[in-house]
Amino acid sequence: MATIEKYRKAAEAGENEFSNFVNYGVKKKPEGDYKRKRILVMLGYAVFAIAFAAVCISTKIVMLIALLPVLTWILVFFTWHWVNIEYEYQIINASLKLMEVYGNRYMKQMCDIKISTMSIIAPYNGEYRAMADDTTITERIYGVSSMDNPDVYFAICHGNNGEKRVIFFEATEKTLKAMKYYNQNVVMSKTTH
């Protein structure tokens, strides 16, 4: 009974991992290479519709054109998620977990790192930007809507083989407070969220 009382008091005081739980998601902005892929997929849909209509007309089975909206919808249903990308991250149990979400259907985990192992967590601007752009960093993980967003933060950590990794994410004030709880190497700044 004393154990239950201890956990209840800790929860009320905000001293457990759930008081430092963060779940946040951002939608990837269509820019650069991602924008080109989206445009190419949309052009592919148009080419499919034109080609299907042309085949129906040339084979003199014009009534099959009525199936075109259904076939196009099926094509969109199975392909659009690859160009509708979001990033979601969670902070729970002292770890930062970053996932890439495709069309609200498929999720790929990009990293799961203990926050205490990060050597620095800072905004991606000003004096700290050079640390994230260091050429000795072997792996870069992007979980941001756009690198131009003012709330982009980065964290540097070392992998199992000693290689340096940098993780980019969009921070909210709650995110920064939770990270500060697990790691004192957080450079706090004002965020828009």
Side-chain angles (χ1 to χ4, degrees):
M1 189 65 150
T3 308
I4 293 172
E5 185 66 22
K6 181 179 106 177
Y7 288 122
R8 188 184 63 74
K9 286 182 180 178
E12 289 172 357
E15 297 172 357
N16 64 5
E17 68 267 9
F18 295 108
S19 64
N20 291 311
F21 173 77
V22 174
N23 189 13
Y24 188 67
V26 294
K27 191 172 187 78
K28 188 171 183 177
K29 283 186 180 176
E31 57 188 16
D33 192 40
Y34 177 58
K35 185 176 184 179
R36 277 189 292 283
K37 287 178 184 175
R38 286 174 63 105
I39 290 170
L40 285 174
V41 168
M42 286 186 244
L43 285 174
Y45 298 150
V47 167
F48 169 76
I50 293 168
F52 185 79
V55 167
C56 289
I57 292 170
S58 67
T59 59
K60 300 197 189 317
I61 310 174
V62 180
M63 64 191 98
L64 281 180
I65 291 178
L67 293 176
L68 184 60
V70 173
L71 293 175
T72 304
W73 180 84
I74 291 170
L75 182 65
V76 170
F77 180 79
F78 286 108
T79 60
W80 183 249
H81 63 272
W82 296 112
V83 290
N84 186 20
I85 300 173
E86 297 177 23
Y87 297 103
E88 183 176 317
Y89 66 83
Q90 297 176 347
I91 297 175
I92 190 165
N93 294 332
S95 290
L96 172 69
K97 186 184 290 186
L98 180 64
M99 281 106 23
E100 193 169 31
V101 182
Y102 298 100
N104 295 327
R105 285 190 283 174
Y106 304 105
M107 187 178 293
K108 178 179 94 173
Q109 183 170 311
M110 298 169 70
C111 68
D112 188 358
I113 300 170
K114 289 282 187 195
I115 295 171
S116 60
T117 64
M118 298 174 178
S119 58
I120 187 163
I121 304 162
Y124 185 63
N125 59 29
E127 62 187 277
Y128 302 105
R129 188 177 191 129
M131 294 172 75
D133 293 338
D134 185 9
T135 57
T136 62
I137 296 174
T138 56
E139 184 180 3
R140 297 177 182 282
I141 300 170
Y142 297 93
V144 296
S145 61
S146 171
M147 289 302 287
D148 297 332
N149 190 311
D151 292 334
V152 172
Y153 265 65
F154 71 93
I156 295 178
C157 57
H158 297 278
N160 296 335
N161 301 334
E163 73 276 357
K164 279 175 89 173
R165 297 194 302 177
V166 64
I167 299 126
F168 295 96
F169 60 95
E170 289 183 27
T172 63
E173 285 191 41
K174 185 176 180 181
T175 304
L176 296 177
K177 287 178 185 175
M179 291 181 125
K180 188 86 166 169
Y181 179 81
Y182 296 116
N183 187 333
Q184 295 301 309
N185 295 325
V186 177
V187 177
M188 301 288 278
S189 72
K190 190 74 175 157
T191 62
T192 57
H193 300 290

